[in-house]
Amino acid sequence: MPRFVLELIRRLRFFLRGHRFEAELREEMDAHFTMLAEDTDPVYAKRRLGNVTRWQEISREVWVWNWMDRFWQDLRYGIRQLTLSPVFALVAILSLALGIGANTAIFQLLDAVRLRSLPVPDPQQLAEVRIANGNGGIFVSAGDNPQTTNPLWEQFREHQQAFLGVFAWGTDTFRLGKGIDAHNVHGLWASGSLFPVLGISPVRGRLLDIRDDRHGCGASAAVISYGLWQREFGGLDSVIGSSLRIQDHSFDVIGVTPPGFSGLEVGTGFDVALPICSLATLQSSNASFGRRDIWWLTVMGRLKPGWTLERASAHLNATSPGLFGATIPTGYQASTLERYRKFRLAAYPAGRGVSPLRETFDTSLWLLLGITGLVLLIACANLANLILARASTRQHEISVRLALGASRPRLIQQLLSESLLLALVGTLLGIYLARVLSRAIIWFVSTKDNVLQLELGLNWRVLLFTASVAVLTCVIFGLMPALRSSRAEPSSAMKAGSRGMTAGRERFSFQRLLVASQIAISLLLLFNALLFVRSFRKLMTFNPGFREQGILLLETDIRNFAMSSHMSPSRLKPLQRDLLDEIRAMPQVQSAAMSTHVPLNGSSWTLGFYLDDVRGSSKFTWASTQYFETMEIPILSGRDFNDRDSESSPRVALVNETFVRDYCGGTNPIGKVIRSVAEPHYPAAAYEIIGVVRDTKYANLREAIPPQVFANTQQFPSDGPWGPIFIRTSAPMSSMISAVKQKVGQAHPAMQMDFRVFQAQIYDRLVLERLMAALSGFFGALATVLAIVGLYGVISYIVIRRSTEIGIRAALGANWGQILRMVMSEAGLLLLIGVVIGAVLSLVAGRAANSLLFGLKSYDPLTLGMAVGLVAAIGAVASFVPARRASRVDPMVALRYE
Amino acid sequence: MAEPLRDEIPPGTLHLFILKILARGPNHGYGIAQFVESSSRDVFQVEEGSLYPALQRMMLKGWIRGEWQETENKRRARVYSLTTLGKKQLEVELSKYRRVSQAIGRVIAASS
C-alpha cells in the first residue's frame, strides 16, 4: 500500500479514538513530570515543563488537518446560523430537495431505460443482428422488436462465423393455468443457446440449453423467472420437476433464472421461457415456426475476441445473399421477393438490451430532465437571492471583520459552509424524494396490460449524477452570493450600513438579473407545460370518426376452444355467429359486432389489391354486421352488411373516404370490384364495393388516415377470422362484464373470456402524453411559483431598503399613487425583460418538444400568449403587494427607521 | 515559558536523535530526553514541547510505535520502539547527516 494511504488510515484511527488520545497524552506528561521531579526537584520540574496544554495542542495538531478542524468549526457556525432562521432553512432545504429529487428521479428512469447494461458477464460483447434499414414492413411482423423469421435464424445460426455464440428470442403472451385460474403471463421464446451464450446461471435447477431446442421437441421443458417463482410457487424448491400448464399443454419446470435477469427487453420482463421448438406444438398448423414470412425473432450474439461490430457487419453483409436466398418465402409476387433477396444483415450494439421503450421514452425523458434541471436552476436562483438578502443584513458584521483583518477566502469559506450544509441536507432529502417520485412515475405509466418492470437502483451513475447536481447547485446559489458579499470595501460598507438614504442601484443589479432570468425560465417551462397539456387535451377530445365511449371489448379463446374440442373448421363461423347472437339478445346490449381490428391499438393489416388494373394497397378489416352501428361510423352511401351476405354469396366490402379519394378519383365506387393479391394463407379474393363509410383513425391517432377496406367476417377467405367482439351498451361496464360472463359462461363453460373497456384501452395508449402533460404541468407550476416568490422577495427587499428614500419622497409631497407607480415600474421592467427573453427562449427551445405534440406546433402563438399572460398577471400581483405596502409608508416612521 | 537551548539542537536533528536512541532499544519520552542531555554532556537540552509533538509526528509517519508498559520502577509509561519503516528512515537520516556534516567540514577546511 502506498505510504499516504497508510498515513490516512492512521489519521482515521486517531480520529475515531480522539478522546483516548487526550487521556494518554496527559498520562504520559504526568509520568514524565514524576520522573523529572524524582531526578531533580519538583519546583524545577514544574518550571521546566511549562504550559502542558500547549504541547498537547501541538501534539494534537500533528494528527488533524487544519482545514478539517476549521471546516467543522464553520459547519457548527452554519448550523447555528440556520437554526436562528428556521423558515429560511426550511424553504431552502425543501426547494432544493424538490429540485434535486426531481432531477434524480428522471435520471434514474433514464438510467434504467437507456444507460444500464444487461446483468450478464461482458455485456459489451453482445451484438444484435438485424436487417440494415429494417425489413420495410413487408410480410407479417409480430411483437414490438421483431427482426428475423425462424427459418432465417436457423440459416444464420448454421453459417455465421463472427460470433462465439448466437441466440434468438421472441416475446409472446402465454396463457398459464386452466379454467378460472388461467391468466396471461409474459412469455419468452428462447433458442437453446440463449442462456449459455449470455452466461446466466440458474438459482434452482438448470436453464434451457441446445439439448432442449430440437425440432419436434413438443411440449417439454420450461424455465421460469425468479419473480414468477416467488409469486406463484412461493419460492419452493419443489417447483423443479413440477408441471406447468400453458395453453393446454403440459411443460416440466426445469429451472429458475436469477433475480437480476428480466429478459433482454428493457421494461418488459418475462415470466416463462420456452424453447423455440415448442412453438410448433403450441400453435396450430398456421404457426410462425416454419413460416418464412413472419418476422418475430430477435437475433443476438457474442462477438469473437478481436471482432468489432464493423468487421462482423462486413462478414454478415457478405453472407447475406446466401442466407436470404435459402429462405425465400413462397406465394409472394416477384417484386416483393426481389426486395427480400436484397436484404443485408448487420450487427448493432446490444449490451444494454433492446428497447422499444427507449425510442418512445427517449425524447420525453431527456426533455423532462431538461425541465427538472431548469426548475432546479430557478430554485437555486431563489436561494441565491435569499442568501444575498441575508448577507446584506450581515454586511455590517462582514465589513467589521474585513476591517479587523479577516482574509477574504476565510470569509467566503464560512459563508459557503452554510450553503454546503443546505445542499447536503437538501440532497439527502432529495434522494429520498427521488425514490418516491420515480416509483410514482412508473406506476403512472404502467397500464393493465403493460406493467413496467424497471430496476430502479441507486447505482454509482445515479449517485454521481446527484452528487454533481448538488455540487453545482451549491456553487450557483452559494458561491456567487459569498463572492459578492465578501467584496465590500470595509469603509464604504460600514458607511452605507449606518447612514444609507438610497442603496445604490448597482447593489441590486445582481438580484435583478437573477429575478429576470427566473421569470424567463419559468415562462419557458410554463409555455412548455401548456403545450403538453393542450396537446394531451386535443388527443383526448379528438374525434377519431367513431364513438369510443360505451364499448366493451370481449376477447375469447375461441381459436383454442375450437381446436381443443376438435371442431371442424366449418363449424367456427356458425359458432361465432351464435356467440354474437347470444350477446345481442341481452337486454343491456344496444348492438354488438365482431372485427379483426381494434382501432387505435397500434396493430395493422395491409393487403395489396387491384382495382380496374390499378395496383394499390389498403388496410383490410373483416367486420360483422352491426359493426358500423356499434362504432357509430356513419355510412355515407350504399348499404351496410346484412345477413344475406354469407359464405356462399358474392363477397362484398365497404371502403372509407380516403380509399375513394386515392383509388377512385373521388367518383362513386359502388359496384366496382377489389381483387386482393394472394398472400400465403390468404388466397386472392374479389370484393364488390357496396358502400362508403366516413373516415376513421386506424392504428393510432397521430397517423394520417389510410385507405381502408371493410369486408364481411362471414366471407373471410381462409381459416378464421379471429377478433374481439365489440359490445355497445349504456349499462355500467362492471355490471355488463359480469352479465356477459354469466350468459356466455352458461352456454360455453370451457370458453375463456377477457374484457377490456375500449375507451380505457385507448387512454392507456396515451400514457406517454398523459405523463408529459402531468409532469410538465407540475414542474411548470412549480417553476412559476418559485419565480413569483423570487420576484415578490426582491421587490419587498428593494422596498425595505429604500424605505428611507420613499419616506423622504412622501414627506416632500409625493402622493401614494406616484410611489406605487415608481415601485411597480421597477417590477414591470423586470417582468418585461424576463418575459421578452423567456418568449424568445420558448420559441427556440420549444422545438425539442415538436415530435411529442399532437395537433399544435411548438411555436403555437395562442399557447405562448397564454403563458405570457399568465406570467405577467401573476407577476404584477406579486409585485403589487409590496408596492402597495411601500405607498402606505408613513414618512415619519420611515425616516425614523434607522 | 523559557526557551532554554532550544535552538541548540539543529533543525531536523531531533528526529535523527530519537531514531538513533530507539535503535539501541525501546525507551520512553523521559528516557530519550535524559539520554540526549547526558550523552551531549548537557549541551543539548530537549524541550518537552518539541519532543512530544515530534514523537507524535513520527508515529503518524509510521516510523515508531508506542506501547504502554511498566518501567523498572513499577511505573506505567509509554515506551516507543522502532518499526521496520523507522529503521529504514534511520539509514536515510544518517546518510543525510553524514553527507551534510562532511560538506560543512569541507567548506570550513577550504576557507581556513
Side-chain angles (χ1 to χ4, degrees), chain A residues 708-749:
Chain A
Q708 286 190 65
V709 174
F710 295 91
N712 192 316
T713 41
Q714 293 296 320
Q715 300 178 331
F716 192 67
S718 177
D719 287 349
W722 326 104
I725 293 174
F726 292 62
I727 304 169
R728 174 161 295 285
T729 176
S730 50
M733 287 300 166
S734 52
S735 69
M736 193 66 227
I737 289 172
S738 49
V740 173
K741 252 185 194 161
Q742 201 184 2
K743 177 95 185 247
V744 178
Q746 265 170 8
H748 315 279

Side-chain angles (χ1 to χ4, degrees), chain A residues 185-261:
Chain A
V185 296
H186 289 296
L188 179 73
W189 292 108
S191 73
S193 49
L194 183 132
F195 293 113
V197 173
L198 280 177
I200 292 169
S201 358
V203 286
R204 291 290 184 282
R206 67 175 184 88
L207 299 181
L208 296 172
D209 57 38
I210 31 177
R211 287 170 296 167
D212 300 299
D213 188 19
R214 284 168 290 117
H215 278 231
C217 63
S220 55
V223 162
I224 61 172
S225 74
Y226 187 84
L228 189 83
W229 183 46
Q230 293 296 323
R231 236 174 22 245
E232 302 201 3
F233 297 93
L236 295 175
D237 288 348
S238 59
V239 70
I240 307 299
S242 66
S243 95
L244 203 61
R245 199 146 187 91
I246 299 167
Q247 263 125 304
D248 287 321
H249 291 277
S250 182
F251 289 83
D252 291 329
V253 176
I254 59 165
V256 181
T257 56
F261 180 73

